[in-house]
Amino acid sequence: MWEMAVGNTFGATSLSSYGGFWISYAIILTPGGFHIQEILSTDSDSAQLYNSLDLYLMSTVAFFLLFFFLLFFFLDIAFLLLAIGNLVRPRGTPDTRIKKAGGLFALLAAFTAWYNALAGIADTSNSFFIIPVVHFPWSATGREKRLKTERETA
């Protein structure tokens, strides 16, 4: 929520949404808490649970596609693979190979998030090295760099 305090509406919206997703996903998967898993699955058939999780994860993919940065791209691929892993049930259980691939993309998303955080924190006042960052041409920094001559940017 400190992103909102510093005026970064995108950061506040995306990070709050992402945090809200993980809280709600944990509520769904916590045994004994809200009994969601027990209600949606029976001993003989778990298809309703997997189909509900698929719908939930696919809606998350659609929501985060709106943000479409590298971090959220990796998150989208991770959620998409997790949903597909639940859809593909060769022996009645979700395909663990596809879900492991989703976990790999989640790790890539985590690495990208840490890189973005370090790039946002490290500047000339507090670090000996500056993390390279690519700015969109329509952003304020991108417009400023376009207006500078080649000699000024060297």
Side-chain angles (χ1 to χ4, degrees), residues 39-61:
I39 292 170
L40 292 176
S41 63
T42 61
D43 292 335
S44 61
D45 186 25
S46 297
Q48 186 176 3
L49 172 67
Y50 297 136
N51 291 338
S52 299
L53 285 175
D54 293 338
L55 180 63
Y56 184 67
L57 291 170
M58 291 291 188
S59 65
T60 305
V61 168

Tab-separated table of all heavy atoms in Angstrom, residues 39-61:
chain	number	residue	atom	x	y	z
A	39	ILE	N	-16.087	-29.454	-0.099
A	39	ILE	CA	-17.405	-29.260	-0.711
A	39	ILE	C	-17.360	-29.578	-2.203
A	39	ILE	O	-18.284	-30.179	-2.747
A	39	ILE	CB	-17.898	-27.806	-0.475
A	39	ILE	CG1	-18.196	-27.609	1.016
A	39	ILE	CG2	-19.122	-27.496	-1.316
A	39	ILE	CD1	-18.458	-26.168	1.396
A	40	LEU	N	-16.260	-29.176	-2.877
A	40	LEU	CA	-16.191	-29.336	-4.330
A	40	LEU	C	-15.684	-30.701	-4.791
A	40	LEU	O	-15.750	-31.009	-5.973
A	40	LEU	CB	-15.305	-28.245	-4.942
A	40	LEU	CG	-15.858	-26.826	-4.864
A	40	LEU	CD1	-14.849	-25.835	-5.416
A	40	LEU	CD2	-17.168	-26.723	-5.616
A	41	SER	N	-15.167	-31.504	-3.888
A	41	SER	CA	-14.671	-32.816	-4.313
A	41	SER	C	-15.247	-33.896	-3.416
A	41	SER	O	-15.516	-33.680	-2.247
A	41	SER	CB	-13.146	-32.860	-4.278
A	41	SER	OG	-12.681	-32.689	-2.966
A	42	THR	N	-15.406	-35.044	-4.035
A	42	THR	CA	-15.832	-36.225	-3.287
A	42	THR	C	-14.722	-37.257	-3.374
A	42	THR	O	-13.746	-37.076	-4.090
A	42	THR	CB	-17.137	-36.799	-3.875
A	42	THR	OG1	-16.891	-37.187	-5.227
A	42	THR	CG2	-18.256	-35.770	-3.828
A	43	ASP	N	-14.884	-38.355	-2.677
A	43	ASP	CA	-13.857	-39.391	-2.702
A	43	ASP	C	-13.703	-39.993	-4.090
A	43	ASP	O	-12.609	-40.354	-4.512
A	43	ASP	CB	-14.190	-40.497	-1.691
A	43	ASP	CG	-14.084	-39.997	-0.264
A	43	ASP	OD1	-13.330	-39.027	-0.043
A	43	ASP	OD2	-14.741	-40.576	0.615
A	44	SER	N	-14.803	-40.119	-4.831
A	44	SER	CA	-14.741	-40.777	-6.133
A	44	SER	C	-14.471	-39.813	-7.287
A	44	SER	O	-13.944	-40.213	-8.310
A	44	SER	CB	-16.053	-41.522	-6.402
A	44	SER	OG	-17.133	-40.587	-6.413
A	45	ASP	N	-14.811	-38.521	-7.135
A	45	ASP	CA	-14.685	-37.594	-8.259
A	45	ASP	C	-14.244	-36.218	-7.766
A	45	ASP	O	-14.910	-35.609	-6.944
A	45	ASP	CB	-16.025	-37.488	-8.991
A	45	ASP	CG	-15.912	-36.662	-10.255
A	45	ASP	OD1	-14.799	-36.573	-10.820
A	45	ASP	OD2	-16.935	-36.114	-10.683
A	46	SER	N	-13.108	-35.776	-8.283
A	46	SER	CA	-12.601	-34.444	-7.955
A	46	SER	C	-12.703	-33.493	-9.142
A	46	SER	O	-12.096	-32.430	-9.127
A	46	SER	CB	-11.146	-34.524	-7.497
A	46	SER	OG	-11.041	-35.277	-6.328
A	47	ALA	N	-13.455	-33.861	-10.158
A	47	ALA	CA	-13.534	-33.056	-11.378
A	47	ALA	C	-14.106	-31.674	-11.099
A	47	ALA	O	-13.644	-30.675	-11.670
A	47	ALA	CB	-14.365	-33.772	-12.431
A	48	GLN	N	-15.092	-31.579	-10.217
A	48	GLN	CA	-15.688	-30.276	-9.927
A	48	GLN	C	-14.679	-29.340	-9.261
A	48	GLN	O	-14.620	-28.157	-9.580
A	48	GLN	CB	-16.920	-30.445	-9.040
A	48	GLN	CG	-17.663	-29.146	-8.828
A	48	GLN	CD	-18.942	-29.326	-8.033
A	48	GLN	OE1	-19.262	-30.425	-7.587
A	48	GLN	NE2	-19.675	-28.248	-7.853
A	49	LEU	N	-13.836	-29.865	-8.381
A	49	LEU	CA	-12.798	-29.061	-7.750
A	49	LEU	C	-11.799	-28.569	-8.788
A	49	LEU	O	-11.477	-27.381	-8.842
A	49	LEU	CB	-12.064	-29.866	-6.676
A	49	LEU	CG	-10.821	-29.191	-6.083
A	49	LEU	CD1	-11.209	-27.953	-5.290
A	49	LEU	CD2	-10.047	-30.169	-5.229
A	50	TYR	N	-11.322	-29.478	-9.646
A	50	TYR	CA	-10.339	-29.087	-10.658
A	50	TYR	C	-10.934	-28.114	-11.670
A	50	TYR	O	-10.272	-27.164	-12.082
A	50	TYR	CB	-9.778	-30.321	-11.370
A	50	TYR	CG	-9.018	-31.244	-10.448
A	50	TYR	CD1	-9.201	-32.610	-10.493
A	50	TYR	CD2	-8.114	-30.738	-9.525
A	50	TYR	CE1	-8.504	-33.458	-9.651
A	50	TYR	CE2	-7.418	-31.577	-8.675
A	50	TYR	CZ	-7.621	-32.929	-8.746
A	50	TYR	OH	-6.929	-33.756	-7.902
A	51	ASN	N	-12.177	-28.322	-12.060
A	51	ASN	CA	-12.811	-27.397	-13.003
A	51	ASN	C	-13.002	-26.017	-12.375
A	51	ASN	O	-12.838	-24.988	-13.044
A	51	ASN	CB	-14.146	-27.954	-13.486
A	51	ASN	CG	-13.972	-29.163	-14.377
A	51	ASN	OD1	-12.908	-29.357	-14.968
A	51	ASN	ND2	-14.995	-29.989	-14.466
A	52	SER	N	-13.333	-25.973	-11.109
A	52	SER	CA	-13.480	-24.680	-10.416
A	52	SER	C	-12.136	-23.971	-10.307
A	52	SER	O	-12.043	-22.752	-10.525
A	52	SER	CB	-14.061	-24.890	-9.015
A	52	SER	OG	-15.321	-25.484	-9.091
A	53	LEU	N	-11.081	-24.724	-9.971
A	53	LEU	CA	-9.745	-24.127	-9.919
A	53	LEU	C	-9.304	-23.645	-11.294
A	53	LEU	O	-8.663	-22.592	-11.411
A	53	LEU	CB	-8.734	-25.128	-9.361
A	53	LEU	CG	-8.793	-25.372	-7.858
A	53	LEU	CD1	-7.828	-26.472	-7.465
A	53	LEU	CD2	-8.491	-24.104	-7.095
A	54	ASP	N	-9.647	-24.403	-12.346
A	54	ASP	CA	-9.309	-23.986	-13.701
A	54	ASP	C	-9.967	-22.649	-14.034
A	54	ASP	O	-9.319	-21.741	-14.555
A	54	ASP	CB	-9.765	-25.021	-14.724
A	54	ASP	CG	-9.008	-26.319	-14.601
A	54	ASP	OD1	-7.898	-26.294	-14.042
A	54	ASP	OD2	-9.536	-27.339	-15.052
A	55	LEU	N	-11.238	-22.536	-13.744
A	55	LEU	CA	-11.957	-21.294	-14.021
A	55	LEU	C	-11.350	-20.132	-13.236
A	55	LEU	O	-11.153	-19.035	-13.774
A	55	LEU	CB	-13.441	-21.454	-13.680
A	55	LEU	CG	-14.320	-20.235	-13.914
A	55	LEU	CD1	-14.346	-19.883	-15.394
A	55	LEU	CD2	-15.719	-20.493	-13.408
A	56	TYR	N	-11.017	-20.376	-11.991
A	56	TYR	CA	-10.431	-19.329	-11.151
A	56	TYR	C	-9.064	-18.896	-11.680
A	56	TYR	O	-8.774	-17.697	-11.791
A	56	TYR	CB	-10.322	-19.850	-9.711
A	56	TYR	CG	-9.832	-18.822	-8.743
A	56	TYR	CD1	-10.608	-17.719	-8.434
A	56	TYR	CD2	-8.591	-18.943	-8.138
A	56	TYR	CE1	-10.161	-16.762	-7.545
A	56	TYR	CE2	-8.140	-18.006	-7.244
A	56	TYR	CZ	-8.937	-16.920	-6.952
A	56	TYR	OH	-8.486	-15.963	-6.080
A	57	LEU	N	-8.209	-19.864	-12.028
A	57	LEU	CA	-6.877	-19.536	-12.540
A	57	LEU	C	-6.945	-18.884	-13.920
A	57	LEU	O	-6.176	-17.965	-14.218
A	57	LEU	CB	-6.000	-20.781	-12.570
A	57	LEU	CG	-5.595	-21.322	-11.200
A	57	LEU	CD1	-4.950	-22.686	-11.337
A	57	LEU	CD2	-4.678	-20.367	-10.478
A	58	MET	N	-7.876	-19.316	-14.769
A	58	MET	CA	-8.026	-18.692	-16.093
A	58	MET	C	-8.502	-17.249	-15.972
A	58	MET	O	-8.072	-16.381	-16.729
A	58	MET	CB	-8.992	-19.490	-16.968
A	58	MET	CG	-8.475	-20.822	-17.385
A	58	MET	SD	-7.130	-20.682	-18.546
A	58	MET	CE	-6.929	-22.367	-19.005
A	59	SER	N	-9.379	-16.983	-15.012
A	59	SER	CA	-9.809	-15.594	-14.817
A	59	SER	C	-8.653	-14.743	-14.307
A	59	SER	O	-8.538	-13.563	-14.653
A	59	SER	CB	-10.999	-15.524	-13.859
A	59	SER	OG	-10.621	-15.954	-12.566
A	60	THR	N	-7.761	-15.332	-13.525
A	60	THR	CA	-6.574	-14.617	-13.080
A	60	THR	C	-5.648	-14.320	-14.252
A	60	THR	O	-5.072	-13.234	-14.345
A	60	THR	CB	-5.831	-15.435	-12.009
A	60	THR	OG1	-6.745	-15.740	-10.954
A	60	THR	CG2	-4.657	-14.678	-11.441
A	61	VAL	N	-5.519	-15.274	-15.172
A	61	VAL	CA	-4.719	-15.049	-16.384
A	61	VAL	C	-5.290	-13.866	-17.159
A	61	VAL	O	-4.560	-12.968	-17.575
A	61	VAL	CB	-4.690	-16.317	-17.269
A	61	VAL	CG1	-4.129	-16.012	-18.639
A	61	VAL	CG2	-3.893	-17.404	-16.606
